[in-house]
Amino acid sequence: MTADGPRRGTVCTFAAAVYLRFEGERAISLYGSALAASPFQPSLILERPRLLGRLSSDARLVVVRGPRGCGKSTLITSWLAGFDGQRHVVRLSARGLDADDWWGGVLAALPTEVLSRAGAAAGSFDAVVTALDDLHEPLVLVVDGLGENSGGRLAEQLIELLRRHRHIRVIAETHLRPFGPAQSASVDYDEIDYPELRFTIDEVAQLHLEAGLTISEQACQRLYRQVSGTVMPTVLAVRTAERIGHPVIDQFGSPCPEYVTALVDMAEEMLAESEIAPWRTAVTKCALARKLCADTIAIVGIDDPETTLPTLEQLGLLQRRRDNVPECPPGLRLPLLELARRAEPVEVRETLDVLASQRLSADDVTEAMHYGSDAGNWTLVGEIIETHFVRILGEDLDGIHRVLQMFPAADRAPFPIVRTVRAILTGLNEVPILPVLLPESIEELAGIGASRDALETAGRGTINAIGLRRRGAYHQAAVVAGRVATILDAAEPHLDPACSAYMAVLRQQLGNTCQLAGALAQSTALFQQAYQADSAFAARLSAGSIALNRALQGDIRLAEQWLVTEADEPYQRGLWGETTRLPGRCAAAIAEMECFDIAAATAILEDIGEPDFRQERWAFIAYARGLWSLLRGEPVEGIDWIDRIIAEHARFYAPDSLAFSLLTAMKVDLDLAAGHTNAALATVTGIEASGYVPLAVSRARTELLTGQYEAAVAAATEIAWRPESYPRTRIDALLIEAAAHVHLGDETAAVDGWRTAVMIANRSGCCLPFVFIDDRVRDRLTELSGVAQPQRVPPTTVFAPGPLPIVRLTPREQVMLDKIIEGGTIVQIGKELHVSTNTVKTQLRSLYKKLGASSKEQAIAQAKRLQLVHDRHDTEASRASLDTGPVADSADAYEPSIYKALINQMSVAVVIHGADGRVVEANQAFADLLGYTLCEAQRLTATDVVHPSAMRERNADATRLISGSVSELATERPLVHKDGTTLWAKVRKAAIEIDGEPVVMVIIEKAEPGVGFRTG
């Protein structure tokens, strides 16, 4: 076998032969002979079911079309290797052959038993047609390189063959379009073209896994943006990453030198091929242009384009865009552009600058931005983005994201919009909390809005709000967002109308901030303002986001209207286009469940998949998934799924976020549906629900389902008429109240609540709360009121008929449980409680019976499952043995594990840091004091913790301790909380050693300014 496939004239007649022939041999080259010297292993040829299914479809003619390196041959080979042995296969390349020669090769490959009649035919094609009259089994003809040398005659003959023999299928691999519209319409036709052949992001990740590499989704996305998923450059990236030990595209979107070298080597090998070498200069010139229209062809200087371009396209070095304009494939352009830069750096840069200017003058600002980026002319790129960024966002969201990632920090200073949009688009870890002080009063904010610096201040404030929310400080972020929104409202009358698009993007982000903080009314107002601006980008995002807000609120009719509006605003292709569709998809899933169309909701949720760990709207996916599990009667699966997703997004599960309110309430409902009544009760008891309407509803539902009807009425009545209640929570509360009144015998009050709930439901389209009430109670309310429930509500109930069983321990049983958890024996417990051992045994039997246990171990396990064990038992024993004297003498050198165990037992905040100020170890109390998770706290440095005004003094103290000048210090010091606020603390420090290295242990207690230790 050659690098391009089976040798000319060789035949693979059965599937087993195909498999055996390929097994252990070199995989088919993706760039002809370019990989002959370094073929990749078969383990890197992915199974691609989405494409293999197309080859196995009912279509009798399938064309696999694309430029060099896009994986055409590999796909076909993989498909052939999976044959079941029930059909004949002839695979033959048409490159360098005329039609008669190709048919002669096919004829020679056919089984001898079908050749008896072929000799009488006049030509090779006629002979094949005649021979196939005697072949009744299925036959697959695979044509490599169709149309590249053989002209249109072979294509015409293949169509004729398909018309005459129904048991034949043809798979054609080609760079071109060998069949015209009339020909493809005459048979069952399918085409797999270049965009479909490209790897998806998931396939890029899988390719790395096949090579034994673990790569983050973010790194996969950077590689995908760089080469657009083109097969050969992606495979080369995996091979390079395997060799160098890290991803080939850095965090700023630039390829590493090793990858560039590998790509250039690949391009050099390709350009050295005999049929391509004469066209080397033309190929590299074509690579300078992003698309080859008349203007760009003249600028790059391509001679005789009428001959050159078709030839390069025939060689697979150019492809056609959707507008039918030729271009160099993205995966090939990168190395060719690098080759051109190495050969003539000044001329290439000047040519790219001219191309940028020409496209700018032609009002093609997106292409101009890309040419400026290719040239490294960041001043021009910055000016283009400052003036046209909203238009570029609407035309090429993925492209501007890639350019902004690469935009050097040193060149950003003169461009405030570049800084703002970069902060919005490029990753959670790159958004700073900019120092911007916004006043509280509306008058002062309006004054800022009327100033010349209004947009600059609003941009900085928006970045500040984004930074705060991405650090989990949602309430503070929403406060900042509200102030920025006031500035924008005041600024609008004074600004040029051209600024409205920029303001729309800012409002879109402010709306996101308010949405994530749970301020849905303020969020919707901002989204509506953004939608009204002249920006297709903002309109798309806003329509879907408004639909999501309305769906969460239970205003389903309005949600559906906004989903229709969103559908009128088409989304871009590509990664970011998919990302911006998420709010609308979540809204659509909720709306389908409101119609009780579980199948439609399932399809949407499967399309959404699991939220990425960086996805800010992760909680909306989790909420929809929890609702789906509730309606399907699979609450345990929903609990497990939500718990896992919360754990992956723990830093964003903040008490002041909408995520906390929505998902905690959903977990309570799922626990109730699963029969985990104690767990539900423990959740609603352990959280102050008054500030969270969804949680307050879940508390009222728990009271109803556990038979506490008067408490349910009290809780539901308070919720139903809150100003911040929305249709969903209001209907929920009214139905809970009505059901409780039925149980209490107050039929008049029950009917009033029922009628109001039905009225709101019919107006809003929100029907889900009805299936949360026992269907027998609903029937009784319908009978009493003469008002039927909404027509689409099914006769089912999510929760079991109440009262649900709940285990409540008496005070004495709780004491006995505490004692056995602490490890006490019967004798010890009796002595501590001053009772006899028989009394202890009697009380333990009572406890075991209530828990359904027969031993101490079973009782403890069941008590934990029922949420009857207090957290203090996990640490009480260890804390009781803690020595409260000096932590350690500075001369002692302990193992790290000893210090870790020691500080984890302490209730005060403790942190150990090294000479460079980086945290070595910290306990949970330290993390809680500053508002971080423990994992985050263990990655902090001194500059993250200590207020800038105290850094000089802090550094001096650390130097004295590390050097041994002093062994202990005590002082008071201002620290910085995660949310940016300042807190004062009493600080005690001691110099210690860990593994022989000097470090500092710091014990911190909160204090008022000026009260506490004196420095000494």
Side-chain angles (χ1 to χ4, degrees), residues 563-837:
L563 286 172
V564 172
T565 301
E566 181 200 37
D568 293 337
E569 302 286 348
Y571 281 85
Q572 291 182 31
R573 295 175 178 270
L575 172 67
W576 270 96
E578 290 296 308
T579 301
T580 52
R581 294 180 62 194
L582 180 61
R585 285 178 172 179
C586 289
I590 295 170
E592 294 293 356
M593 285 185 276
E594 283 284 357
C595 297
F596 302 97
D597 190 342
I598 305 303
T602 300
I604 295 170
L605 290 173
E606 287 178 350
D607 187 41
I608 293 174
E610 291 197 5
D612 174 73
F613 76 97
R614 291 169 289 108
Q615 173 57 258
E616 284 196 281
R617 291 188 173 96
W618 64 278
F620 303 132
I621 302 174
Y623 172 77
R625 178 63 182 263
L627 198 59
W628 177 80
S629 298
L630 204 59
L631 295 178
R632 282 168 54 92
E634 299 176 353
V636 175
E637 186 271 346
I639 293 168
D640 292 343
W641 198 90
I642 288 179
D643 281 341
R644 178 168 55 81
I645 298 302
I646 289 175
E648 292 173 1
H649 299 82
R651 67 176 293 189
F652 303 115
Y653 193 57
D656 59 348
S657 67
L658 181 59
F660 181 85
S661 178
L662 274 181
L663 297 187
T664 305
M666 178 56 67
K667 286 181 64 179
V668 171
D669 288 344
L670 289 165
D671 275 326
L672 290 171
H676 303 163
T677 319
N678 274 75
L681 190 62
T683 300
V684 297
T685 303
I687 296 173
E688 177 52 52
S690 60
Y692 306 101
V693 175
L695 271 175
V697 170
S698 293
R699 171 171 286 179
R701 191 180 344 272
T702 303
E703 301 286 11
L704 174 68
L705 293 175
T706 55
Q708 306 300 308
Y709 302 123
E710 291 182 353
V713 168
T717 303
E718 195 272 332
I719 299 163
W721 303 110
R722 279 189 186 184
E724 67 269 29
S725 291
Y726 299 116
R728 185 182 305 283
T729 53
R730 187 160 289 164
I731 295 168
D732 235 332
L734 287 166
L735 290 175
I736 291 169
E737 182 184 354
H741 279 306
V742 167
H743 289 291
L744 292 171
D746 189 347
E747 295 180 351
T748 301
V751 166
D752 287 344
W754 172 261
R755 285 176 171 167
T756 306
V758 172
M759 178 192 69
I760 297 173
N762 285 331
R763 186 177 60 213
S764 65
C766 180
C767 297
L768 277 176
F770 285 85
V771 298
F772 298 161
I773 301 297
D774 188 342
D775 56 346
R776 294 172 300 179
V777 174
R778 299 193 326 250
D779 291 342
R780 178 60 177 158
L781 286 165
T782 299
E783 179 185 348
L784 289 171
S785 65
V787 176
Q789 64 186 6
Q791 188 173 3
R792 65 187 182 192
V793 177
T796 58
T797 305
V798 167
F799 303 107
L804 298 179
I806 185 168
V807 178
R808 299 182 190 272
L809 300 183
T810 66
R812 173 56 74 174
E813 289 168 343
Q814 187 66 59
V815 169
M816 299 306 292
L817 177 62
D818 293 346
K819 293 301 180 183
I820 64 173
I821 290 174
E822 291 168 5
T825 64
I826 292 176
V827 174
Q828 291 169 337
I829 294 172
K831 287 182 179 181
E832 289 183 23
L833 300 180
H834 307 291
V835 296
S836 68
T837 55

Side-chain angles (χ1 to χ4, degrees), residues 37 39 80 107 148 194 211 604 607 728 896:
L80 291 174
L107 189 65
E148 295 171 24
Y194 169 65
I604 295 170
D607 187 41
R728 185 182 305 283

Side-chain angles (χ1 to χ4, degrees), residues 502-534:
Y502 177 48
M503 295 173 68
V505 173
L506 296 183
R507 282 175 169 142
Q508 172 67 36
Q509 284 301 317
L510 298 175
N512 289 346
T513 299
C514 293
Q515 183 186 61
L516 295 169
L520 296 184
Q522 186 179 4
S523 168
T524 299
L526 285 162
F527 288 141
Q528 286 174 334
Q529 285 181 292
Y531 178 81
Q532 292 166 1
D534 185 19

Side-chain angles (χ1 to χ4, degrees), residues 197-432:
L197 287 166
R198 294 182 299 183
F199 286 131
T200 65
I201 292 176
D202 288 341
E203 287 172 335
V204 172
Q206 183 61 34
L207 203 64
H208 282 81
L209 289 175
E210 291 285 340
L213 301 171
T214 301
I215 183 172
S216 70
E217 184 171 349
Q218 198 170 12
C220 285
Q221 290 170 355
R222 290 195 295 265
L223 175 58
Y224 181 85
R225 290 191 188 100
Q226 187 67 246
V227 298
S228 301
T230 305
V231 169
M232 185 52 228
T234 304
V235 171
L236 201 57
V238 176
R239 281 296 183 217
T240 305
E242 191 176 20
R243 178 165 51 86
I244 64 178
H246 59 78
V248 298
I249 309 297
D250 67 21
Q251 61 179 328
F252 303 110
S254 299
C256 68
E258 295 88 348
Y259 183 46
V260 172
T261 298
L263 286 171
V264 169
D265 289 346
M266 175 198 73
E268 285 283 18
E269 283 193 71
M270 180 195 69
L271 293 173
E273 293 180 28
S274 58
E275 59 180 354
I276 299 176
W279 302 95
R280 179 186 180 104
T281 301
V283 171
T284 53
K285 285 184 176 181
C286 285
L288 298 181
R290 300 181 64 85
K291 61 179 180 180
L292 292 161
C293 57
D295 292 335
T296 57
I297 289 170
I299 292 171
V300 300
I302 298 173
D303 298 328
D304 191 13
E306 291 78 9
T307 301
T308 301
L309 298 185
T311 302
L312 296 183
E313 188 175 359
Q314 199 168 49
L315 291 170
L317 301 172
L318 297 179
Q319 65 181 22
R320 293 276 171 173
R321 297 158 48 111
R322 292 185 180 277
D323 56 7
N324 205 36
V325 175
E327 68 172 359
C328 188
L332 186 55
R333 182 173 184 262
L334 179 65
L336 291 174
L337 196 56
E338 180 62 23
L339 275 175
R341 287 192 183 106
R342 292 181 181 183
E344 298 175 310
V346 175
E347 183 178 339
V348 167
R349 186 167 57 251
E350 290 175 350
T351 301
L352 291 169
D353 276 336
V354 172
L355 286 166
S357 299
Q358 188 274 329
R359 296 321 300 161
L360 196 56
S361 64
D363 199 33
D364 190 350
V365 294
T366 300
E367 287 288 270
M369 176 192 71
H370 286 302
Y371 280 124
S373 172
D374 290 340
N377 188 344
W378 296 107
T379 299
L380 177 61
V381 173
E383 291 170 352
I384 292 171
I385 293 176
E386 290 287 306
T387 308
H388 304 287
F389 87 96
V390 174
R391 179 176 162 189
I392 298 172
L393 285 173
E395 293 177 354
D396 189 4
L397 190 53
D398 275 350
I400 192 172
H401 181 275
R402 183 172 60 249
V403 169
L404 287 170
Q405 266 193 321
M406 298 169 60
F407 207 116
D411 296 310
R412 293 178 213 150
F415 305 114
I417 291 180
V418 167
R419 299 198 304 274
T420 301
V421 180
R422 188 175 190 277
I424 290 171
L425 292 182
T426 57
L428 303 184
N429 58 339
E430 294 186 18
V431 182

